[in-house]
Amino acid sequence: MKDLVILGIESSCDETSAAVVKNGREVLSNVISSQINIHKKYGGVVPEIASRKHVESIVPVVSKALLEANKTLDDIDIIGVTKGPGLVGALLVGVSFAKALSFSTKKTLVGVNHIEGHICANYLQHKDLEPPFICLVVSGGHSHIVYVKDYNTFEILGQTRDDAAGEAFDKISRALGLGYPGGPIIDKCARDGNPHKIEFPRVHFKDGTFDFSFSGLKTSVLNYINTMTQKNEPINVPDVCASFQQAVIDVLVKNTLECARIKKISKIAIAGGVASNSLLRKTFLDECNKLGYKCYYPNPILCTDNAAMIACSAYYEYLNGNISDFNLDAYPSLKLG
Ligand code: KG4
Ligand code: ZN
């Protein structure tokens, strides 16, 4: 089969990214322009600012991705772009740009689900990985346990009923005055703390689902901080970080392993920004080793929002005949599957 070269475009949140990927799995370039330093001072992503920054960055980012891959637009076969879920204004920048580029170059357009993109990051990292497998997708916006039946068929086995895992990290970090984004800061700070010092709640639903809930945990940590402050007692920040992080990870790992057991699947992958968490990676690796399962996770640069994963997903969508036309729109609440 002829090589297929895909240009991926991602703009669903606060990263403008473009990548060139060959045959779905070979990354020729992956340029990420992060807006984190701009949003930091507001303690989170400001949607209007994010859209404006995407408008400024998209042309230089795409040009850089082509240059680094040593390709021109003539060499591109498919343009893959994130169509949702995400911030509507941010998504529209990528979708409009990709549609215009597809129209002017007559290249095939493929709209991609961002969550499927995160799952696909594992294909870029692990050339041997093939479905079926169970994937835990945990980021600032979503927390899903997904049964990846084949490259295009996904079944959600569990998901958050309130906050996403990354959102919980970000909120606790803010409450402790540690900064944004909270995940990497808490990950680091927790290394100096005792994960069993404070007993925070772990929610497991008794209705047969593998859903998550992190809002009770978040409230419990906030109550702890407030009570200590009112009593004028010192807060041991590393202990709070470690105990909170342990509570999140216990639930994520337990539910995911239970899904693997029920589906009789011995391959587990993790994806999304929170998949960079050092304790989450270590815990999955240790547990999978004990059970004789194979464990997969991408390098941190492929865990965060990036366009290489979108190009990979576009490749498998294209092979399945899922091609978009110029009616393609931004779908902020797009569901998986
Ligand atoms: O996938 P991502 O870059 O963007 C979304 O699609 O949301 O994920 C960002 C989220 C943030 O909430 C951030 O705090 C979290 O991932 N995160 C982490 C770590 N690195 C990033 N959470 C825990 N530990 C980390 N090391
Ligand atoms: Zn994401």
Side-chain angles (χ1 to χ4, degrees), residues 114 118 139-142 166 169-170 181-184 187 272-274 276-277 303-305:
H114 181 81
H118 273 303
S139 71
H142 7 83
F169 273 92
D170 294 338
D187 187 349
V274 183
S276 290
N277 185 276
C303 288
T304 195
D305 288 348

Side-chain angles (χ1 to χ4, degrees), residues 10 12-15 36 85 114 118 137-142 164-170 180-188 191 245 271-281 300 302-306 309:
E10 155 65 34
S12 66
C13 191
D14 61 344
E15 265 97 23
I36 280 185
H114 181 81
H118 273 303
V137 191
V138 266
S139 71
H142 7 83
E167 199 180 346
F169 273 92
D170 294 338
Y180 174 85
I185 304 169
I186 290 184
D187 187 349
K188 196 154 169 263
R191 287 175 207 163
Q245 178 176 265
V274 183
S276 290
N277 185 276
S278 54
L279 185 67
L280 183 69
R281 291 159 93 95
L302 293 171
C303 288
T304 195
D305 288 348
N306 69 88
M309 69 185 197

Side-chain angles (χ1 to χ4, degrees), residues 14 23 100 110 123 130 156 159 207 222 255 261 285 289 292:
D14 61 344
N23 297 330
V110 177
Y123 298 137
E130 283 182 33
I156 297 176
Q159 59 191 308
D207 57 2
L222 296 181
N255 285 14
R261 191 184 66 77
L285 203 56
N289 280 341

